[in-house]
Amino acid sequence: MAKEISLATVKKHNKAEDLWIVIENKVYDVTKFRLEHPGGEDSLVDVAGRDGTKEFIDVGHSLEAREIMKKFYIGDLAAADIKKNSPISRCAHVGLALGAVFLGFALIYVIKRGGGPKQ
């Protein structure tokens, strides 16, 4: 079983010389990688000691990058520190799904009624 690491512990490792980050609820010690990082040291230092998942995803890292990360994995974020989906975000997903269903039914109705473009 992987070692659990609290977010409070991760926050203590927030300098270039001691640099931990959280990506997708996994904790990485990237201190030795910072100078090799293709995006530059500053991009890692900017997220040092915190959750950098959003930034990691926004950049669109490759599968190769994810393979490299495995070398620096030191444990999982403690369960108590993992953010749960808020009720508001769940509502947004439900709203999008209902909207898609509604549009699908509307499209079927228009097609069956012959409401397409007139020739």
Side-chain angles (χ1 to χ4, degrees):
M1 189 163 141
K3 177 181 176 184
E4 277 203 353
I5 302 170
S6 71
L7 191 55
T9 300
V10 173
K11 287 179 179 182
K12 294 176 185 176
H13 301 272
N14 61 0
K15 296 174 180 45
E17 311 78 43
D18 182 21
L19 201 162
W20 291 12
I21 58 172
V22 177
I23 304 291
E24 298 173 338
N25 299 321
K26 296 190 180 306
V27 181
Y28 300 89
D29 179 350
V30 292
T31 307
K32 293 180 181 174
F33 181 66
R34 74 185 196 286
L35 297 175
E36 300 172 34
H37 187 258
E41 177 181 10
D42 289 343
S43 61
L44 290 177
V45 173
D46 287 347
V47 294
R50 67 180 186 86
D51 190 328
T53 301
K54 181 185 179 316
E55 292 84 352
F56 182 84
I57 291 172
D58 286 351
V59 168
H61 284 83
S62 66
L63 291 175
E64 181 183 2
R66 290 183 179 271
E67 280 299 312
I68 292 169
M69 287 171 59
K70 290 178 182 179
K71 293 189 287 189
F72 304 101
Y73 170 77
I74 57 172
D76 292 334
L77 188 62
D81 291 324
I82 294 175
K83 294 178 184 171
K84 306 289 185 238
N85 285 337
S86 71
I88 292 172
S89 69
R90 282 193 296 266
C91 287
H93 291 291
V94 169
L96 286 173
L98 290 175
V101 168
F102 173 77
L103 286 174
F105 280 126
L107 183 60
I108 291 169
Y109 175 78
V110 168
I111 290 171
K112 284 188 174 188
R113 295 225 27 194
K118 303 290 183 213
Q119 301 279 330

